[in-house]
Amino acid sequence: MLKNKIKISFMLVLVTMFVTQLSAQNQLSSPYSRFGMGEMAKRMSSTNIAMGDVAYAYQSPLAVNVANPASYIAFDSLSCLIDAAFSFKYHILQETANKQNGSTISFNYLSLGFSVLRNWKTVLGFQPYSFINYTINQYTPFDDTSDIHYAYNGTGGVYEFYWGNAFRLFKNFSIGLNMSYLFGNYNKLQIVEFPDDNFLNFKRDNELQINGALFSFGTQYFIPIKKSFIGLGLVYTPSIPTVYGNKSTYLLSYQNTALEEVIVDSLYWEGTNKVKITLPQTAGGGISWSNEKYFLGFDFTWSDWSRYSIGEANDSLKDSYKFAVGGSITPNPSGSKYVSKITFSAGYYYELTSLYLKEKQIDKFGINFGFSFPMKKSKTRFNVHFEYGQWGTLKNNLLQERYFLASFNLKLHEKWYQRRILD
């Protein structure tokens, strides 16, 4: 039995590595990812995303709720939980005159949760933190028949290894801490190309390698009311200067030939400098009501992206605000009919993002619903959820992204520490 579980875990790791590589190579260009740390990953369980990103006052022995580390205390003391997910996303990017569509397969997360002591539970996990992937082309008249071509291209991503711990201080009250290591790199390229061979083209390349630590704290308290609970949750991520980057910049001139790009001269090279990256502090709170069949919750999140910077540079970002409401229903968790054990989830979120472009703060919303299917004679569950969302607007000549997402999640729940008694 143990060998089979080890094989399953190993297969999950291999699938995760494959999907991660595929994700890195298959991201649709998103011009909004040009700013700040790029497009931020949600960094939460598929179970919570299916409820519209409600997570702060939620805990379950069948989900690794990384959004609030205090929730880990719900794990079964005799069991181990492996939680992994990936998603398929279909995008439509549109501006006033142009439209682009495409699809991506992305790795969401892989996490392992288990009990250390009765009142101490721990989690090890790996997930994306953010990614940059954009291509922007602009043209200005050079003469009556040709244009100067300006191109902006960015690629890269940051990933996160984390170790989380939760402690029960007294009945129904727990605290938690996630300690994360961030690593990755970004490459941002600016190009100016002239249609006349008498002029040299120019290329500016900015490279940034990122690594450092990130800490987040959480607490949860559940108030029993008859056969239900009122849950309260708080989370906080401080803006601690523990993330740094190795930044290098160079400028060169070149010419395009029929066969290749020929470098003419290196005009400038800054060398590699270590810079401090100031990430935003984040605070959030949530409230929930739940019993054996139902869960309903509401979350609010604030992040001060206005303080974000890389060295002396910043992107003039704004503070972001996010509201989320959602819930789930399991008709009869202990019933004999399989259908009555399926969990149905739905939710909605609205966010004023950190981006402020053309006198407008860019907003985003998502509508989610999902299903959780239990495996027979086991607490293992297979989850699928769907999301329709929109990011940005067509007003003020801005860009709008509409997308449809399908996420697939396996929560492998097994009693690894249970001894068998032989008669």
Side-chain angles (χ1 to χ4, degrees), residues 57-224:
Y58 174 85
Q59 67 174 225
S60 168
L62 303 178
V64 179
N65 177 16
V66 66
N68 189 339
S71 67
Y72 305 152
I73 204 66
F75 294 160
D76 188 337
S77 296
L78 299 176
S79 301
C80 176
L81 178 64
I82 299 176
D83 194 350
F86 69 94
S87 59
F88 170 85
K89 188 175 183 181
Y90 177 76
H91 319 239
I92 300 175
L93 295 172
Q94 185 176 0
E95 55 182 356
T96 305
N98 300 306
K99 182 184 292 188
Q100 177 190 3
N101 58 62
S103 60
T104 65
I105 297 176
S106 300
F107 162 72
N108 292 358
Y109 60 84
L110 174 66
S111 52
L112 169 67
F114 55 93
S115 176
V116 180
L117 298 172
R118 181 179 179 183
N119 294 317
W120 175 16
K121 310 300 169 67
T122 193
V123 167
L124 297 172
F126 172 68
Q127 61 190 1
Y129 181 81
S130 65
F131 77 89
I132 285 179
N133 190 58
Y134 63 86
T135 300
I136 303 172
N137 294 294
Q138 297 177 342
Y139 299 89
T140 60
F142 178 73
D143 53 33
D144 294 337
T145 59
S146 58
D147 298 321
I148 301 174
H149 177 210
Y150 298 88
Y152 306 87
N153 178 263
T155 57
V158 175
Y159 291 90
E160 173 183 5
F161 278 115
Y162 67 91
W163 177 32
N165 292 276
F167 304 91
R168 182 183 288 111
L169 300 187
F170 53 84
K171 186 176 181 180
N172 298 327
F173 180 78
S174 61
I175 61 173
L177 164 67
N178 282 332
M179 297 174 286
S180 302
Y181 173 69
L182 301 181
F183 66 98
N185 64 82
Y186 293 142
N187 183 277
K188 295 184 177 181
L189 190 66
Q190 299 170 301
I191 295 174
V192 181
E193 292 186 334
F194 295 89
D196 193 329
D197 292 339
N198 293 322
F199 293 85
L200 293 177
N201 303 317
F202 294 94
K203 178 186 296 185
R204 180 185 179 92
D205 196 353
N206 296 281
E207 298 179 354
L208 181 67
Q209 293 184 339
I210 297 171
N211 60 81
L214 186 68
F215 301 90
S216 58
F217 306 88
T219 182
Q220 288 184 332
Y221 180 54
F222 289 86
I223 306 169

